[in-house]
Amino acid sequence: MTLLSVRNLRVTFPTRQGTFEAVRGVSFDLGRERLGVVGESGSGKSMTGRSILGLVRPPGLVTADRMQLEGQSILNLPERKMRKIRGRRISMVMQDPKFSLNPVMSIGDQIVEAYRLHAGGARAAARQKALDMLAAVQIRDPERVMQAYPHEVSGGMGQRIMIAMMLAPDPEILIADEPTSALDVSVRTEVLNIMDRLVRDRGMGLIFISHDLNLVAQFCDRVLIMYAGRIVETLAARDLHQARHPYTRGLLNSLPRLDAPQDRLPVLQRQDSWRDGDPIAESLETEFPGGL
Amino acid sequence: MLTVEHLNVWFGHPPARVDAVKDAGFTVAPGESFGLVGESGSGKSTILRAIAGLIDTWSGRIEVAGQPVAARRRDRAFYKTVQMVFQDPYASLHPRHSVDAVLSEALRLQGMDDIDRRIARLLDDVGLGRGFRFRYPHQLSGGQRQRVAIARALAAEPRLLLLDEPTSALDVSVQAEILNLLSDLRAEHGLTYVMVSHDLAVVGHMCDRLAVMQQGRIVEVMTVEDLRRGAARQDYTRQLIAASAGYQRA
């Protein structure tokens, strides 16, 4: 079943030198799966995520032939309607918990506020829900963490708290923008396990935005490769190492590898044709080839 | 080239004193490339900053090219031997100084003459070309900025380069370019590197030996061949290697 369907998404910004197109005609469907979006900085992967949530600020302009959440259009909804979707039906986890949590509010109050905003209900029930969510993201001492302020917790715990807060209203889709890039490798595995379990147990759709190709290949079901605002290749994650697009291949080759030492790393030779050439993808209408 | 013995580094005063590095020791031979790896807060960058003279609350012994270094002020001769490249090229260059100003300041501080010719050569060395000489940081990409930071470090013609996560703020394709540049420069100038990184693959590519750090202590010093073969002696190192290999679905 398609949770989210996007066709020909474009995000443009007027500049003094003319219009800058950050996203240039992106199309994809998201089911109850882990969908990876990879690309370098400036490839438009974060803008794609933000535009789905209506977080592109003017003068930025979002257009699309279609942007539907379970059949209902969510393109350029008025802010009042968007607020009913954002957080409740589609949630987003950002890269760095340090900048996403309110520094002058206790963690418990923040989760309770976020939850009641979307689900309403009594304060005591919301508090219980917050405790349950913290336990769900493997925080051992939720009572203590509820009292704590963001500066008193580590980066890994901050990120788990963000995930707890975003998942309290039980969204159908979670957009995670580099959720583990600021974390150490050992904590990273824990955070990924938590998200993995949520996709499986709740049937959530996950859009996982990352620059880390290998991580995406291991964690996701399906991968979109973005270059200069377009999807240049779509692959089942397990086939990433059989990628055919020269950009994807170039990115993979430029990574140093412990198991395959080499004197010099191959450097990506960018081609103009990547900007506008034909993308390599299965037909869009095929339902989630790598998904459930 | 570099000897570190019984190095302790601390911040703050008791009872709030934090011991960031505890009894660390290692040696780096001339021309060698040595890696320091560990998770955030393990003290790897702190060791580098203590060597560079950016932290003065340390005890123990640091010797560079056979000379013990002073705890506090370092002289010009020290900075002619040792230079550092920082993690974030967006933060380590003054936004209102042109490339020319950055490099000529570094050259003048070392009492160099013939600055014009030297700047041109530094820019050639780091693969930027002379067209970049009068640009400002905001006119450069992240990779180009890191090249300027490397040129600035090379201006003193140092023998030991301290590299603090030099590519972790860069895209992988740009990382490959910078790592290749650092390899070339080491071969051309006979440099010695001490490189801090959280990325075992990067250290495996660049270094001959490495020290693994955990909570301020060096738990293991090993060769890169041992790292590749997975021949770690300590449990912590094995965990780190396993976690770096990527994500295994639970």
Side-chain angles (χ1 to χ4, degrees):
Chain A
M1 190 185 74
T2 309
L3 287 174
L4 182 74
S5 179
V6 175
R7 291 294 178 276
N8 195 23
L9 171 69
R10 288 172 187 275
V11 180
T12 53
F13 293 89
T15 69
R16 261 181 277 177
Q17 285 83 36
T19 338
F20 173 73
E21 286 193 291
V23 180
R24 304 184 297 136
V26 161
S27 301
F28 65 91
D29 285 335
L30 174 75
R32 302 193 185 281
E33 60 175 333
R34 288 160 293 229
L35 177 68
V37 181
V38 281
E40 296 174 284
S41 35
S43 60
K45 55 190 193 305
S46 291
M47 266 310 155
T48 302
R50 297 178 70 88
S51 61
I52 294 168
L53 279 172
L55 290 174
V56 177
R57 282 176 214 281
L61 191 71
V62 180
T63 62
D65 294 349
R66 184 205 298 169
M67 193 197 282
Q68 289 177 341
L69 174 64
E70 291 183 292
Q72 171 206 356
S73 177
I74 54 165
L75 180 67
N76 295 324
L77 282 184
E79 188 53 31
R80 196 167 46 81
K81 289 194 172 155
M82 197 64 215
R83 241 180 259 152
K84 294 211 163 85
I85 290 170
R86 195 189 293 139
R88 186 174 311 178
R89 303 186 60 193
I90 309 178
S91 235
M92 188 161 186
V93 176
M94 310 267 189
Q95 179 168 3
D96 199 333
K98 269 194 292 257
F99 300 116
S100 324
L101 291 169
N102 185 343
V104 295
M105 203 169 164
S106 78
I107 283 158
D109 285 351
Q110 293 189 48
I111 304 180
V112 168
E113 181 189 54
Y115 179 70
R116 291 186 73 205
L117 190 65
H118 297 301
R123 181 161 279 276
R127 203 184 128 73
Q128 190 50 50
K129 179 82 181 171
L131 283 170
D132 294 347
M133 286 315 300
L134 287 176
V137 294
Q138 317 281 303
I139 286 176
R140 273 178 284 276
D141 190 0
E143 288 282 356
R144 187 186 61 81
V145 173
M146 289 280 280
Q147 314 284 326
Y149 284 85
H151 73 272
E152 296 171 311
V153 302
S154 66
M157 194 182 283
Q159 198 61 297
R160 281 180 283 174
I161 291 165
M162 283 294 298
I163 293 176
M165 188 185 297
M166 294 305 138
L167 294 174
D170 236 335
E172 290 141 79
I173 297 173
L174 179 69
I175 301 174
D177 191 356
E178 304 265 8
T180 58
S181 309
L183 305 180
D184 280 322
V185 281
S186 58
V187 189
R188 182 177 80 183
T189 309
E190 269 177 67
V191 170
L192 291 176
N193 280 339
I194 292 164
M195 290 201 291
D196 185 46
R197 213 170 317 120
L198 292 164
V199 173
R200 273 183 308 176
D201 297 352
R202 302 184 176 197
M204 202 174 64
L206 174 69
I207 298 180
F208 187 89
I209 299 170
S210 176
H211 66 278
D212 189 333
L213 280 92
N214 284 322
L215 183 65
V216 165
Q218 288 158 336
F219 181 70
C220 294
D221 302 307
R222 208 154 57 97
V223 187
L224 313 177
I225 319 282
M226 288 193 68
Y227 180 78
R230 290 170 68 241
I231 295 172
V232 292
E233 187 164 21
T234 312
L235 288 158
R238 60 177 171 278
D239 298 334
L240 184 65
H241 289 272
Q242 279 87 54
R244 283 179 293 152
H245 197 282
Y247 174 66
T248 320
R249 295 227 54 82
L251 279 186
L252 285 167
N253 291 337
S254 62
L255 283 166
R257 287 172 57 175
L258 272 182
D259 55 343
Q262 45 193 342
D263 286 342
R264 292 187 71 77
L265 296 168
V267 169
L268 192 65
Q269 304 293 335
R270 289 162 205 278
Q271 309 289 326
D272 284 342
S273 62
W274 297 352
R275 282 184 63 83
D276 299 298
D278 284 333
I280 299 178
E282 335 92 28
S283 157
L284 262 174
E285 308 309 326
T286 340
E287 295 272 298
F288 335 115
L292 301 176
Chain B
M1 188 69 215
L2 172 71
T3 306
V4 175
E5 282 173 348
H6 304 299
L7 178 69
N8 292 290
V9 187
W10 61 91
F11 298 109
H13 299 283
R17 175 168 142 155
V18 177
D19 291 287
V21 177
K22 298 166 206 156
D23 197 28
F26 59 92
T27 58
V28 184
E32 195 187 8
S33 178
F34 188 83
L36 283 170
V37 302
E39 306 205 332
S40 40
S42 63
K44 54 192 194 303
S45 293
T46 306
I47 289 187
L48 221 55
R49 298 177 76 86
I51 297 170
L54 295 170
I55 298 171
D56 53 18
T57 51
W58 58 273
S59 67
R61 191 174 172 81
I62 302 176
E63 262 183 31
V64 171
Q67 299 291 316
V69 304
R72 285 161 202 280
R73 295 183 68 88
R74 308 281 166 86
D75 52 11
R76 190 192 277 180
F78 174 82
Y79 288 110
K80 190 146 176 56
T81 317
V82 181
Q83 284 286 322
M84 184 151 168
V85 177
F86 297 89
Q87 175 171 5
D88 187 352
Y90 294 87
S92 66
L93 295 177
H94 194 298
R96 300 186 65 168
H97 286 185
S98 66
V99 173
D100 178 73
V102 168
L103 298 181
S104 53
E105 182 183 26
L107 288 165
R108 265 190 215 102
L109 279 172
Q110 287 301 330
M112 303 273 192
D113 51 7
D114 207 0
I115 284 177
D116 218 42
R117 191 181 51 79
R118 281 177 195 272
I119 288 180
R121 208 180 59 211
L122 282 171
L123 288 174
D124 286 346
D125 272 357
V126 297
L128 277 180
R130 291 153 206 209
F132 285 86
R133 181 163 171 184
F134 294 101
R135 292 217 198 167
Y136 285 87
H138 73 266
Q139 297 168 309
L140 304 173
S141 68
Q144 288 165 345
R145 286 174 205 225
Q146 202 58 312
R147 286 174 194 267
V148 173
I150 292 168
R152 174 176 62 186
L154 291 177
E157 299 178 352
R159 290 155 67 198
L160 175 62
L161 216 53
L162 307 173
L163 305 162
D164 188 2
E165 304 258 14
T167 58
S168 51
L170 306 174
D171 279 320
V172 290
S173 55
V174 183
Q175 165 172 285
E177 292 173 20
I178 297 292
L179 294 181
N180 285 342
L181 170 67
L182 287 170
S183 301
D184 293 346
L185 290 171
R186 181 157 81 106
E188 279 165 34
H189 299 262
L191 295 167
T192 306
Y193 287 167
V194 178
M195 180 173 191
V196 162
S197 180
H198 68 279
D199 188 334
L200 286 179
V202 167
V203 165
H205 176 70
M206 292 295 292
C207 298
D208 310 311
R209 286 188 309 137
L210 64 143
V212 180
M213 295 197 64
Q214 183 192 21
Q215 293 173 8
R217 292 186 192 279
I218 293 181
V219 294
E220 183 162 9
V221 177
M222 65 197 302
T223 64
V224 162
E225 283 82 79
D226 283 346
L227 174 70
R228 288 221 176 86
R229 285 191 291 122
R233 291 188 305 277
Q234 300 294 326
D235 284 344
Y236 178 72
T237 314
R238 279 193 283 272
Q239 281 170 29
L240 202 64
I241 295 173
S244 306
Y247 178 76
Q248 254 81 48
R249 199 160 287 173

